[in-house]
């Protein structure tokens, strides 16, 4: 099927967006209503209302044919190019898109893509489409308390019972939106007698299955959008296995590459932006200070470089292909920019950032400052990103590894 010209296609996108969304507000017009939080910090009832707003937009986008743009048509996508993705993102940025929650992003950009790429025909029919349209919501059951950044060291176990179904025991942590999810994409160790990456299998676990317990984790910002998930004798049918037994590491690395691409992309607001900092500086009458101007210029250049890098990575990616290690670069730039944005805002406000004085747009920056450190961990720590860039992009010698033996023979196992 011939690809539509991206520039001509923009007109169609712009017309559709104008029919479903309002034009974007400037930071000045947004005023004190501007959302500066990196991670959502809402009561449960407000979080549910936000989820429904996001789902309404995602369903409209899916029904209009603008979801999963680079995913092949036979996998449920639009079969377009990375240039179309960049064009859609640019057009979308001119409108008030409902602020996507972590659960929506995980469902559409991570779990749906993993199931679409690795799933069976039955899974594509029953789950992938429902995830892409957000008829079903899915969380990501990867991280564990004992594994840290070394995801391949996970200890959640899955054994196959006589009837063919799998019995899962273990614990996951830092799971965004688990309390609202219908399914979880879970990694479990199914073969401890091979090297740790080879013995992992992926599953879709119903979050209402007997033996699944979700416990919220209270964050320092006051919210509880992350959770611990305990799995005790959870029984999952083999038809919910994603990929072959032992293929879980490939599923995981592909999913994490999508996560880094999503984390580093420029079309979703996460925390405050350069425009918000500039509006803050103007409201405080600080833009004539030469040191402030220097800090603003540095922040502007870094934001522009990140946007250019995101665009370059998107345009050079193969259409429909899986994200490569370049996604680590955009993720690293995104977390660095969030940190620097918060630092400049804090320097501008001084003590105003630690107490609510009633001035619009000041104390709200605490949501950014308290959330930005977590973004250096989400989707793989900054240190892991630097390792990936060094080894897979710059082709530097890999770090020494002492864990080449079968998992069962490693210390602590």
């Amino acid at each position: 099927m011939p690809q539509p010209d991206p520039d001509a296609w923009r007109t169609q996108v712009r017309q559709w967006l104008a029919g479903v969304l309002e034009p974007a507000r400037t930071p000045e017009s947004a005023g004190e209503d501007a959302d500066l939080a990196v991670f959502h910090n809402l009561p449960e009832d407000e979080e549910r209302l936000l989820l429904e707003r996001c789902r309404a937009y995602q369903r409209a986008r899916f029904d209009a044919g603008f979801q999963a743009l680079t995913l092949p048509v036979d996998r449920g996508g639009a079969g377009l190019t990375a240039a179309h993705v960049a064009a859609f993102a640019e057009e979308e940025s001119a409108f008030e898109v409902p602020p996507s929650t972590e659960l929506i992003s995980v469902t559409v950009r991570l779990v749906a893509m993993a199931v679409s790429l690795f799933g069976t025909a039955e899974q594509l029919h029953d789950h992938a489409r429902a995830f892409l349209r957000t008829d079903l919501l899915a969380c990501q059951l990867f991280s564990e308390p004992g594994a840290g950044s070394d995801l391949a060291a996970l200890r959640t176990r899955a054994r196959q019972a006589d009837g063919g179904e799998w019995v899962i025991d273990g614990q996951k942590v830092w799971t965004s939106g688990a309390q609202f999810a219908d399914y979880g994409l879970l990694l479990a160790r199914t073969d401890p007698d091979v090297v740790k990456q080879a013995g992992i299998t992926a599953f879709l676990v119903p979050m209402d299955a007997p033996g699944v317990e979700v416990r919220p984790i209270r964050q320092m910002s006051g919210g509880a959008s992350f959770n611990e998930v305990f799995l005790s004798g959870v029984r999952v049918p083999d038809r919910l296995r994603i990929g072959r037994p032992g293929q879980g590491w490939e599923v995981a690395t592909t999913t994490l590459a999508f996560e880094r691409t999503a984390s580093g992309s420029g079309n979703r607001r996460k925390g405050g932006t350069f425009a918000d900092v500039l509006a803050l500086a103007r409201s405080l009458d600080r833009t004539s200070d030469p040191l402030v101007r220097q800090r603003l210029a540095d922040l502007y250049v870094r934001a522009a470089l990140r946007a250019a890098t995101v665009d370059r990575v998107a345009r050079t990616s193969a259409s429909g292909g899986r994200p490569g290690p370049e996604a680590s670069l955009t993720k690293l730039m995104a977390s660095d920019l969030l940190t620097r944005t918060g630092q400049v805002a804090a320097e501008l406000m001084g003590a105003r950032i630690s107490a609510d004085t009633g001035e619009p747009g000041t104390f709200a920056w605490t949501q950014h400052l308290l959330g930005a450190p977590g973004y250096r961990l989400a989707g793989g720590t900054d240190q892991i990103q630097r390792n990936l860039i060094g080894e897979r992009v710059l082709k530097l010698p890999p770090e020494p590894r002492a864990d080449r033996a079968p998992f069962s023979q490693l210390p602590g196992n």
Side-chain angles (χ1 to χ4, degrees):
M1 180 182 298
Q3 299 287 346
D5 176 71
D7 292 328
W9 184 73
R10 279 177 179 270
T11 303
Q12 178 186 351
V13 170
R14 191 180 305 122
Q15 291 174 345
W16 177 78
L17 288 168
V20 296
L21 298 172
E22 296 294 326
R25 296 181 297 171
T26 64
E28 290 83 358
S29 66
E32 58 188 276
D33 295 330
D35 182 11
L36 302 178
V38 177
F39 299 103
H40 289 289
N41 179 20
L42 299 172
E44 182 175 338
D45 56 343
E46 293 183 29
E47 185 80 12
R48 289 187 182 278
L49 289 174
L50 178 58
L51 277 173
E52 289 310 310
R53 284 180 57 207
C54 294
R55 293 174 87 169
Y57 173 67
Q58 295 297 331
R59 287 165 179 162
R61 179 172 169 174
F62 180 93
D63 294 342
F66 296 127
Q67 198 75 290
L69 294 175
T70 61
L71 197 66
V73 174
D74 62 351
R75 294 272 125 183
L80 300 179
T81 69
H84 292 85
V85 174
F88 187 93
E90 186 175 343
E91 295 299 330
E92 192 184 46
S93 66
F95 295 88
E96 282 291 315
V97 180
S100 183
T101 69
E102 287 78 33
L103 182 58
I104 294 292
S105 182
V106 168
T107 299
V108 174
R109 297 186 172 194
L110 308 185
V111 178
M113 299 300 280
V115 176
S116 296
L117 290 172
F118 294 95
T120 63
E122 179 185 2
Q123 290 165 349
L124 286 173
H125 179 270
D126 292 345
H127 297 96
R129 182 183 185 279
F131 291 146
L132 286 171
R133 198 175 182 270
T134 66
D135 293 329
L136 294 173
L137 298 177
C139 60
Q140 184 176 284
L141 298 170
F142 283 15
S143 299
E144 295 190 5
S149 295
D150 185 9
L151 179 60
L154 61 86
R155 289 177 170 79
T156 293
R157 299 293 182 95
R159 59 179 178 84
Q160 197 162 20
D162 292 339
E165 63 182 355
W166 297 83
V167 182
I168 301 174
D169 293 278
Q171 179 185 355
K172 301 292 179 175
V173 74
W174 307 124
T175 305
S176 301
Q179 69 272 46
F180 304 113
D182 300 293
Y183 286 87
L185 178 62
L186 176 135
L187 299 178
R189 188 162 303 283
T190 52
D191 187 354
D193 297 323
V194 295
V195 295
K196 58 185 183 181
Q197 291 88 351
I200 298 171
T201 302
F203 301 90
L204 277 180
V205 176
M207 295 301 290
D208 60 354
V212 176
E213 180 185 0
V214 178
R215 298 181 189 175
I217 298 173
R218 185 66 58 186
Q219 299 148 223
M220 62 181 176
S221 61
S225 59
F226 303 114
N227 302 272
E228 293 178 285
V229 179
F230 295 86
L231 303 112
S232 303
V234 179
R235 306 182 80 88
V236 175
D238 189 58
R239 60 181 174 80
L240 292 182
R241 170 174 45 83
I242 304 298
R244 303 182 307 275
Q247 198 181 8
W249 186 244
E250 183 182 355
V251 175
T253 53
T254 300
T255 305
L256 290 173
F258 280 118
E259 181 173 12
R260 289 158 191 155
T261 301
S263 297
S265 64
N267 62 326
R268 286 289 186 270
R269 167 185 277 272
K270 296 181 180 71
T273 64
F274 166 77
D276 296 315
V277 177
L278 179 59
L280 174 67
R282 286 171 173 165
S283 71
L284 298 174
D285 197 23
R286 297 289 304 279
T287 53
S288 60
D289 185 323
L291 294 179
V292 171
R293 293 172 70 89
Q294 186 176 16
R295 292 288 276 158
L296 290 172
D298 177 77
L299 194 63
Y300 173 80
V301 169
R302 292 177 184 276
L305 284 173
R306 175 190 162 230
T309 304
V310 168
D311 183 69
R312 179 169 59 85
V313 170
R315 290 182 182 277
T316 56
S317 296
S319 174
R322 303 173 191 177
E326 296 84 1
S328 294
L329 182 60
T330 57
K331 165 59 169 64
L332 189 62
M333 295 177 76
S335 60
D336 178 73
L337 184 61
L338 276 176
T339 299
R340 291 176 184 272
T341 298
Q343 289 172 345
V344 176
E347 291 169 7
L348 286 170
M349 283 181 284
R352 291 181 181 89
I353 202 165
S354 59
D356 190 355
T357 61
E359 297 171 272
T362 54
F363 185 66
W365 278 96
T366 59
Q367 292 291 326
H368 179 108
L369 286 177
L370 293 176
Y375 210 72
R376 305 181 80 98
L377 306 177
T381 65
D382 284 2
Q383 291 78 9
I384 291 294
Q385 307 312 320
R386 292 189 175 96
N387 279 355
L388 291 172
I389 293 168
E391 295 178 12
R392 301 182 189 179
V393 178
L394 302 178
K395 307 301 181 184
L396 297 176
E399 291 187 348
R401 301 292 298 269
D403 56 357
R404 300 295 189 187
F407 182 78
S408 59
Q409 298 177 19
L410 296 178
N413 297 320

